[in-house]
Amino acid sequence: LYRRMRRGGVPPDAFTFHFLFKCCSRGRAHVLLCRMLHAACFRTMLPSAVPLIASPLIHMYAELGLPGDARRAFDEASVKDAVAWTTVISGLAKTGLLDDARRLLAQAPARNVVAWTGLISAYSRAGRAADAVDCFNRMLSDGIAPDEVTVIGVLSACAQLKDLDFGCSLHMLVGERRMLVSDRLVVALIDMYAKCGNIGRAREVFDALGRGRGPQPWNAMIDGYCKVGHVDIARSLFDQMEDHDIITFNSLITGYIHGGRLREALLLFTKMRRHGLRADNFTMVGLLTASASLGALPQGRALHACIEQRLVERDVYLGTALLDMYMKCGRVEEATVAFKQMSVRDVHTWSAMIGGLAFNGMGMAALEHFFWMKCDGFHANSVTYIAVLTACSHSCLLDEGRLYFDEMRLVHNIRPQIEHYGCMIDLLGRSGLLDEAMDIVRTMPMQPNAVIWGSILSACRVHKNVDLARNAANHLLKLEPAEDAVYVQMYNIYIDSRQWEDASKIRRLMEERGVKKTAGYSSIAVAGRVHKFIVGDRSHPRIMEIIVMMEEIRCRLKSVGYSPITSQITVDVDEEEKEQALLAHSEKLAIAFGLISLAPNLPVHIIKNLRVCEDCHSAIKLISRLWNREIIVRDRSRFHHFRGGACSCNDFW
């Protein structure tokens, strides 16, 4: 219309540019177009028009994120009224130039509530809560009465400072001045009380002012309950709501994730999808992390599908969470594809990739990625070196482990944490260098934790060092007296060394202290349903088919020379019964069920709650070759990928 007006020979006046600048600020017009209009205005307007155009011109530049142009337009205005002062102060504050805005406010001939409120709100958004409160107090000293928007900004600052007393005084001020109580003010009050730790007062505000309103007060109350860990109460409110929006779902999903209730988080995400709502990136990262922790591959793949459908915007955090999920579900190939598809990577992405390969027993591949990471110009951090040293530990790369431990300390000046020492102690212990491992335990600058003593104890069993095992067990029993694994490990060490009396003492000690051995189980997902097996399990609906497959497994293993490691059975029974007991281990039952239930081209994926035993490890290697199947076993410490008669751990676990 403006162009048609000019072509028609109609000269613009101040009102023309007043409305054009307003349109540009609301429509986010191109910067060049805005500057052209500014130039046209400058050429045609008389000084008397300045009061009408100055404020929308300043506001336009502030909305475009050009505080320098906004300040220049203000400085060039020959007449500066109160609106112009307020607009430039609020504009500078909104674009982050808080100190400049504060200085300009001090110079203003008259300060009104809008200018003070703009600065207070900007301080709160920037996390400078103390400055926001100081501004509020100075405003009151100036004799200017706050309005609803001012109080909302100061309540946000109170929530950040956790200043409950000041927050309560603001709440009283709202009542004394009979301010309009909008949805935003109710939300600010609930948020302040919740973040200051008075969730009961927050609920009182919600019950009195928030129930009959839209979803915003409900969302604030649900978020408040989730933040203090009362997720069930938050869910009760959620179920009472008539209309849920994306914020409602995201708040409750995040609450479930932070509370470790990962299955409920994933179920709620499914419900959100049925409502036609989209998760934001923050929630999607949390859901992928939940899927990774549970090993919930189908749910993780469903989340990946959402990403591929562009329901959320891809970024480096989302890509990193995706590859981490695939790694923790044992899908190295899919994790590698996700990694290669990332256009932007950071050090956390590389660390997740290296750590994932380490966790899946692919130590050399992990170190290759570490080399490529350095070639790409990234500097390893403390987390990266934990991943690198874990790769060395899980793959018996002793020389490489020593090299990278020294490189971390001497080249990059990264002070080793207990996790770094733990990796080195584990590597040395696995390699049989128990004296060197104990030297590190004695000389490291912090007290060894249960993980480190557990590594020593495990190494002692492998390398038959009973005296050191006894010492490690004593430390472990002081740190974790109720942990059954310590007793079981020592019992097995005594049995292996034929110290029957000491083994009996361990049994009696467990009985006296009420310590029970954790029951081992294995699970496998088939057609979306998880099937769980325990040793000697006969409760499965398809048990007869499983028994037939188990017998076939036994015969085919025997035909290729497999001999059960019966020394693992410590009960005094004959050899045949020991063989039958080993055959009935939960991971073998789960694999048998997988072989009869899954298509021949699909891998058999087992999750074991304890460490896989030596006999099962040997048997599964042969099963993978005899049935030409990939078998993936995730035990409590790592993944084992069995293919063609070999395991990714190279028998070093």
Side-chain angles (χ1 to χ4, degrees):
L1 280 172
Y2 171 70
R3 290 190 181 106
R4 286 172 60 187
M5 172 182 165
R6 293 303 302 269
R7 283 196 297 268
V10 180
D13 62 10
F15 286 100
T16 310
F17 288 106
H18 177 95
F19 293 121
L20 281 169
F21 294 147
K22 276 195 170 184
C23 287
C24 288
S25 63
R26 290 176 182 173
R28 299 282 176 161
H30 194 281
V31 173
L32 180 59
L33 173 62
C34 295
R35 285 178 172 152
M36 288 168 65
L37 289 170
H38 184 186
C41 175
F42 189 76
R43 286 196 309 271
T44 57
M45 288 299 99
L46 295 172
S48 59
V50 169
L52 189 61
I53 61 171
S55 295
L57 178 62
I58 295 163
H59 182 66
M60 175 187 75
Y61 280 128
E63 286 296 304
L64 290 170
L66 300 168
D69 292 81
R71 180 61 190 266
R72 195 174 303 112
F74 173 78
D75 291 338
E76 291 172 354
S78 56
V79 180
K80 301 178 179 70
D81 61 11
V83 179
W85 278 96
T86 301
T87 304
V88 73
I89 291 165
S90 300
L92 292 176
K94 189 174 182 180
T95 53
L97 299 178
L98 297 170
D99 296 331
D100 291 347
R102 185 78 179 258
R103 282 191 291 270
L104 208 56
L105 182 65
Q107 298 168 21
R111 293 179 283 274
N112 60 24
V113 67
V114 179
W116 279 109
T117 299
L119 188 56
I120 289 167
S121 299
Y123 273 133
S124 292
R125 285 194 301 271
R128 295 172 61 173
D131 288 320
V133 172
D134 180 60
C135 267
F136 178 70
N137 290 329
R138 287 178 182 272
M139 184 186 86
L140 295 179
S141 300
D142 267 10
I144 296 170
D147 63 10
E148 170 218 346
V149 183
T150 316
V151 173
I152 289 169
V154 187
L155 283 169
S156 173
C158 285
Q160 293 173 45
L161 295 170
K162 294 184 169 42
D163 189 340
L164 182 60
D165 291 338
F166 189 41
C168 289
S169 68
L170 287 169
H171 191 181
M172 290 175 61
L173 184 69
V174 170
E176 288 168 2
R177 294 186 178 271
R178 298 187 177 181
M179 292 181 186
L180 173 68
V181 182
S182 65
D183 281 6
R184 290 184 62 215
L185 184 53
V186 174
V187 168
L189 285 166
I190 293 170
D191 185 64
M192 181 275 295
Y193 280 121
K195 287 180 178 173
C196 290
N198 194 337
I199 195 69
R201 191 77 179 92
R203 182 62 183 261
E204 288 174 18
V205 172
F206 172 75
D207 288 337
L209 303 171
R211 278 191 174 272
R213 298 175 182 265
Q216 289 83 7
W218 290 82
N219 293 342
M221 197 65 244
I222 287 169
D223 186 61
Y225 275 127
C226 287
K227 289 240 178 14
V228 296
H230 298 166
V231 185
D232 289 329
I233 302 176
R235 181 58 190 255
S236 173
L237 280 178
F238 176 90
D239 292 336
Q240 293 172 41
M241 288 181 71
E242 293 181 5
D243 296 314
H244 306 95
D245 61 13
I246 186 65
I247 297 170
T248 322
F249 278 99
N250 283 344
S251 296
L252 191 53
I253 287 170
T254 304
Y256 277 135
I257 291 169
H258 289 167
R261 296 165 65 171
L262 307 179
R263 293 189 189 280
E264 282 131 305
L266 291 167
L267 287 171
L268 192 60
F269 172 71
T270 304
K271 183 173 182 177
M272 184 179 77
R273 292 287 309 280
R274 286 200 297 267
H275 277 68
L277 297 171
R278 296 182 179 184
D280 60 16
N281 282 39
F282 179 79
T283 305
M284 192 66 82
V285 168
L287 288 165
L288 284 167
T289 304
S291 300
S293 300
L294 289 170
L297 183 61
Q299 290 87 343
R301 281 184 170 147
L303 294 168
H304 189 184
C306 294
I307 296 169
E308 292 297 325
Q309 293 165 21
R310 302 189 182 279
L311 299 182
V312 289
E313 185 179 347
R314 277 183 181 268
D315 60 20
V316 67
Y317 306 105
L318 199 59
T320 301
L322 182 64
L323 82 87
D324 185 57
M325 181 276 296
Y326 278 125
M327 281 295 188
K328 287 179 178 171
C329 290
R331 293 297 194 265
V332 177
E333 292 83 359
E334 288 163 273
T336 304
V337 170
F339 177 77
K340 289 179 177 177
Q341 287 178 343
M342 292 178 68
S343 56
V344 178
R345 302 172 187 140
D346 61 12
V347 66
H348 306 293
T349 310
W350 284 100
S351 299
M353 189 68 187
I354 294 164
L357 290 166
F359 189 53
N360 281 276
M362 300 172 185
M364 287 306 300
L367 297 188
E368 284 175 12
H369 278 76
F370 183 50
F371 173 76
W372 295 335
M373 170 185 158
K374 291 193 282 189
C375 290
D376 271 8
F378 289 96
H379 295 289
N381 59 21
S382 177
V383 175
T384 314
Y385 274 106
I386 291 173
V388 169
L389 293 173
T390 300
C392 297
S393 172
H394 280 192
S395 299
C396 198
L397 302 171
L398 181 61
D399 294 337
E400 291 85 348
R402 284 174 167 155
L403 171 70
Y404 291 124
F405 187 70
D406 290 339
E407 176 186 277
M408 176 186 72
R409 293 182 300 129
L410 305 176
V411 178
H412 297 295
N413 294 317
I414 297 174
R415 182 179 297 175
Q417 307 294 316
I418 195 165
E419 293 85 0
H420 301 102
Y421 285 113
C423 290
M424 282 306 297
I425 290 164
D426 188 51
L427 173 58
L428 292 166
R430 289 169 185 266
S431 303
L433 302 173
L434 291 169
D435 290 339
E436 193 175 339
M438 284 304 298
D439 285 341
I440 294 180
V441 172
R442 284 188 284 265
T443 58
M444 66 185 194
M446 68 280 293
Q447 288 296 313
N449 60 15
V451 175
I452 286 175
W453 285 117
S455 296
I456 295 290
L457 185 60
S458 296
C460 288
R461 183 181 182 191
V462 174
H463 299 290
K464 316 294 185 200
N465 191 325
V466 179
D467 292 335
L468 182 56
R470 195 178 285 114
N471 179 29
N474 287 335
H475 283 94
L476 276 167
L477 291 174
K478 290 175 184 174
L479 294 168
E480 297 179 339
E483 179 56 51
D484 68 299
V486 185
Y487 300 91
V488 173
Q489 192 81 283
M490 276 309 300
Y491 177 81
N492 289 329
I493 288 170
Y494 285 137
I495 290 293
D496 291 345
S497 59
R498 309 178 90 65
Q499 297 184 27
W500 315 115
E501 189 176 335
D502 289 320
S504 297
K505 285 180 183 177
I506 292 290
R507 283 263 190 188
R508 286 198 297 272
L509 189 62
M510 289 180 72
E511 290 172 5
E512 289 168 8
R513 296 182 177 179
V515 177
K516 297 189 181 298
K517 182 181 176 182
T518 302
Y521 68 83
S522 299
S523 60
I524 179 172
V526 175
R529 185 182 165 200
V530 176
H531 300 259
K532 189 174 175 180
F533 296 88
I534 59 174
V535 63
D537 195 353
R538 299 242 168 185
S539 62
H540 197 275
R542 298 180 66 186
I543 187 60
M544 297 311 297
E545 296 172 77
I546 294 170
I547 290 172
V548 171
M549 176 53 73
M550 291 293 291
E551 181 60 23
E552 184 179 347
I553 289 172
R554 187 188 70 78
C555 293
R556 291 182 69 174
L557 286 176
K558 195 170 184 179
S559 70
V560 293
Y562 163 73
S563 178
I565 305 173
T566 54
S567 59
Q568 289 192 295
I569 303 295
T570 57
V571 183
D572 186 19
V573 294
D574 60 36
E575 286 297 302
E576 186 176 344
E577 287 183 84
K578 288 182 178 181
E579 289 183 18
Q580 287 298 322
L582 288 171
L583 188 64
H585 274 192
S586 64
E587 47 266 66
K588 293 192 183 87
L589 289 169
I591 288 169
F593 178 66
L595 291 174
I596 64 174
S597 303
L598 296 169
N601 61 322
L602 293 177
V604 178
H605 194 135
I606 308 296
I607 296 176
K608 176 82 188 272
N609 69 324
L610 303 176
R611 189 170 292 183
V612 63
C613 77
E614 187 179 353
D615 178 74
C616 285
H617 193 270
S618 300
I620 297 169
K621 284 195 296 182
L622 290 171
I623 292 169
S624 71
R625 176 163 63 86
L626 291 168
W627 269 264
N628 192 27
R629 294 289 285 267
E630 179 185 4
I631 301 173
I632 303 167
V633 179
R634 178 183 179 176
D635 69 12
R636 71 177 182 186
S637 60
R638 66 183 296 161
F639 273 100
H640 298 265
H641 293 259
F642 298 91
R643 292 188 187 94
C647 179
S648 59
C649 73
N650 294 317
D651 297 335
F652 188 74
W653 91 104

